[in-house]
Amino acid sequence: MNAYLHQALKWYLGYFHISGRLRRGPFWRFIGIFVISIIWFLIFYTLRKFYRVYTYNNPELPFVDQILNIAGLIPYTAIFLASIPVFMRRLQDFNIPGYVALIWPILFLSSMYITGISSIVGPLILIIGAIPSTRGANRYGNTENETNAGSIS
């Protein structure tokens, strides 16, 4: 178990590098994990709402409400924080400055409250994931020398 946890932590921390480039394959693997974390959050959010309805908004066991809230938010927050350097490195892969990705948290978080912006986030992810890498070296590194983020080698 300890070796598995060590490998999982090493894989997760591999996404936090902001220098270099990130190819399309590792980007789409991360987006898959990001979608799973959103589903995880929604499951626990729904369980929390059902618990509140069941207890008529007067929880008999108030810590259950808090546990459901924390269990949903921790993995989602961890993956969301890792998404910022992932988007930075993906933009750098096709020679766009990584700091442009700093609008990602603003767009994503505001898409939860503003319907018009939510229609921008999905296509933006598709476009960023579909643009091919700059061939050879660019000002952010060489694709042949890059290691994949999240790899366990």
Side-chain angles (χ1 to χ4, degrees), residues 39-56:
I39 293 169
W40 176 272
F41 171 75
L42 291 175
I43 287 170
F44 277 94
Y45 180 78
T46 304
L47 287 173
R48 186 172 167 233
K49 289 295 180 185
F50 280 141
Y51 177 75
R52 284 186 173 185
V53 167
Y54 177 73
T55 58
Y56 304 107

Side-chain angles (χ1 to χ4, degrees), residues 60-112:
E60 300 163 0
L61 302 171
F63 66 89
V64 173
D65 189 45
Q66 300 301 328
I67 290 172
L68 290 174
N69 194 22
I70 291 171
L73 277 176
I74 287 177
Y76 173 74
T77 304
I79 298 297
F80 179 73
L81 290 176
S83 72
I84 299 167
V86 164
F87 274 87
M88 290 177 90
R89 290 179 48 214
R90 181 66 193 130
L91 289 174
Q92 290 172 173
D93 191 40
F94 44 91
N95 222 8
I96 294 177
Y99 64 83
V100 173
L102 293 177
I103 63 169
W104 162 248
I106 297 166
L107 281 176
F108 186 77
L109 294 175
S110 63
S111 72
M112 294 180 193

Side-chain angles (χ1 to χ4, degrees), residues 10 15 18 24 34 52 57 60 63 67 89 93 125 153:
K10 182 178 174 184
Y15 281 107
I18 60 171
R24 287 186 280 187
F34 191 73
R52 284 186 173 185
N57 238 0
E60 300 163 0
F63 66 89
I67 290 172
R89 290 179 48 214
D93 191 40
I125 292 172
S153 56

Side-chain angles (χ1 to χ4, degrees), residues 19-31:
S19 63
R21 300 166 63 173
L22 185 68
R23 305 290 302 255
R24 287 186 280 187
F27 176 77
W28 284 115
R29 281 192 296 273
F30 181 82
I31 293 300

